[in-house]
Amino acid sequence: MDPFRYERAADTAAAVATIDASPGAKFLGGGTNLVDLMRLGVERPDLLVDVTRLGGDTIDDIADGGLRIGAAVRNSDLAADPRVCTRYPMLAQSLLSGASGQLRNLATTGGNLLQRTRCPYFQDVTKPCNKREPGTGCPAREGEHRNLAILGHSQHCVATHPSDMAVALAALDASVHVVGPAGKRAIPVVDLHRLPGDEPERDTMLERGELIVAVELPALAFAERSAYRKVRERASFSFALVSVAAALDVADGIVHDARIAFGGLAHKPWRAFAAEEALRGEPAGEAAFAAAADAELTQAQPLRDNAYKVALAKATLVQTLLELLP
Ligand SMILES: Cc1cc2nc3c(=O)[nH]c(=O)nc-3n(C[C@H](O)[C@H](O)[C@H](O)COP(=O)(O)OP(=O)(O)OC[C@H]3O[C@@H](n4cnc5c(N)ncnc54)[C@H](O)[C@@H]3O)c2cc1C
Ligand code: SF4
């Protein structure tokens, strides 16, 4: 690992100013992804600015009945919060499906959102990779891509986004609040992460030096009936092949509303707007759920070895929705 300096920022403004003034610097949350990537030589910052002690470690009720989650709130604390467990069970379940207890005790809300892809070529500095070194190529396209994207990929990158929590936040219409050199702004989680296009090196819409300070969850009464289902190669310590975050509002056997997002299928959490639209007004049941999955997955462009994900995503969505029926 290259030598680096470590600083503890005094406040948000100082953290942003330090990163803005130091091109080789990075924010440090729990370090569970960034430090691993430094060990591998994938990330090589010369300065780490610790942002875990800036006061953003609380979960607060907000006026509309939603929650404001500080960026430094640990994944374990968020998953255990009684308001999250009752009002947004899909979020608690998504967190508990990720990593391990020890990692969740360290991992922060801000860092979780910005963790980087698990594409094996990205993590191996002896291999070319457009995301790590723009212009070097994408060996995954013709190589090992069984676990990679079927939606929204490009010639330049077929990686998937790894965060489970981000999938639930995308389904719940959460927004990310940031402070940067140009001031404050809020970004819907559905717009935070990018599709790769011809700039796969850019994971998100954040500008250099923007610090995530909080995530806001709007009130959504029917999210009390929600779930996160993750399919993976083994029961723990494994990233999603396919995951589904879903909330379902059914009355008198008719779907009034739904919120659905997929994980493990794209370079970003994939909000399934077409599936949601297909469900509204339909009789709640397997036929409508399967049709909704088809409406979304018609956009899929599987690679040579990952067509199984289309059927798996459909089955996972149908099963998740069936379990949410009253
Ligand atoms: C063995 C293993 C298994 C795992 N399994 C899963 C899994 O199944 N599902 C899953 O979702 N995750 C999994 N993870 C990943 C884990 O969830 C992430 O490593 C963790 O959430 C990252 O949070 P952190 O606070 O440690 O981030 P860090 O590693 O500190 O930072 C990650 C990135 O975010 C940036 N950053 C941090 N905080 C901020 C901020 N406030 N504003 C702006 N930028 C910031 C950093 O500069 C860095 O680029 C696993 C990790 C390991 C090691
Ligand atoms: S899929 Fe993306 S991250 Fe993986 S090798 Fe290709 S460019 Fe790199």
Side-chain angles (χ1 to χ4, degrees):
M1 196 192 292
D2 292 346
F4 63 92
R5 289 178 297 125
Y6 168 90
E7 279 182 21
R8 201 172 276 168
D11 55 34
T12 299
V16 171
T18 304
I19 295 282
D20 194 31
S22 323
K26 294 212 75 163
F27 296 123
L28 178 70
T32 62
N33 185 225
L34 179 54
V35 176
D36 276 1
L37 292 174
M38 289 166 66
R39 286 196 191 103
L40 294 169
V42 174
E43 300 265 19
R44 310 177 81 162
D46 56 21
L47 169 64
L48 294 182
V49 179
D50 188 334
V51 293
T52 58
R53 296 171 206 223
L54 303 178
D57 56 356
T58 58
I59 305 168
D60 300 305
D61 289 293
I62 52 176
D64 78 342
L67 292 176
R68 183 177 170 95
I69 303 158
V73 170
R74 306 288 173 172
N75 288 179
S76 304
D77 295 331
L78 186 56
D81 187 280
R83 294 162 295 182
V84 173
C85 294
T86 319
R87 293 193 234 159
Y88 308 100
M90 70 157 84
L91 178 56
Q93 291 167 19
S94 70
L95 286 156
L96 293 174
S97 76
S100 67
Q102 285 147 318
L103 286 161
R104 293 193 295 268
N105 287 343
L106 272 178
T108 61
T109 304
N112 186 315
L113 281 169
L114 300 185
Q115 62 177 290
R116 308 210 66 192
T117 185
R118 295 283 161 164
C119 172
Y121 301 96
F122 174 73
Q123 295 187 312
D124 181 347
V125 293
T126 67
K127 303 283 191 323
C129 167
N130 282 331
K131 184 180 279 297
R132 200 182 60 247
E133 273 186 69
T136 55
C138 174
R141 257 204 98 79
E142 300 303 326
E144 175 52 55
H145 55 233
R146 201 181 159 271
N147 295 351
L148 301 187
I150 60 167
L151 288 164
H153 53 73
S154 74
Q155 276 304 111
H156 306 283
C157 181
V158 295
T160 51
H161 180 71
S163 166
D164 291 295
M165 179 190 77
V167 180
L169 292 179
L172 290 166
D173 287 318
S175 56
V176 171
H177 291 250
V178 303
V179 176
K184 299 179 182 181
R185 63 181 179 130
I187 310 162
V189 169
V190 286
D191 298 329
L192 175 67
H193 301 94
R194 300 176 64 254
L195 292 178
D198 58 7
E199 280 185 296
E201 68 276 17
R202 287 187 61 211
D203 292 347
T204 71
M205 299 304 287
L206 292 182
E207 299 295 339
R208 164 96 198 141
E210 283 191 315
L211 174 71
I212 298 178
V213 293
V215 171
E216 283 195 8
L217 274 175
L220 184 70
F222 71 89
E224 288 182 12
R225 184 172 285 281
S226 70
Y228 187 76
R229 179 177 270 255
K230 174 173 175 179
V231 184
R232 48 188 158 172
E233 283 172 336
R234 55 176 192 265
S236 73
F237 248 48
S238 190
F239 289 85
L241 298 173
V242 170
S243 68
V244 169
L248 196 61
D249 182 13
V250 175
D252 301 324
I254 301 296
V255 179
H256 281 226
D257 210 348
R259 298 283 183 280
I260 300 167
F262 285 110
L265 300 188
H267 197 256
K268 58 185 289 183
W270 189 271
R271 178 70 178 268
F273 290 112
E276 293 174 13
E277 188 52 37
L279 281 173
R280 289 188 191 104
E282 293 297 315
E286 191 162 348
F289 299 161
D294 288 341
E296 192 66 48
L297 294 166
T298 180
Q299 303 169 69
Q301 292 182 301
L303 304 165
R304 183 194 63 227
D305 293 334
N306 68 3
Y308 76 96
K309 283 196 176 191
V310 180
L312 187 58
K314 179 175 178 177
T316 309
L317 176 58
V318 170
Q319 193 57 37
T320 308
L321 293 174
L322 284 173
E323 286 175 15
L324 289 174
L325 284 176

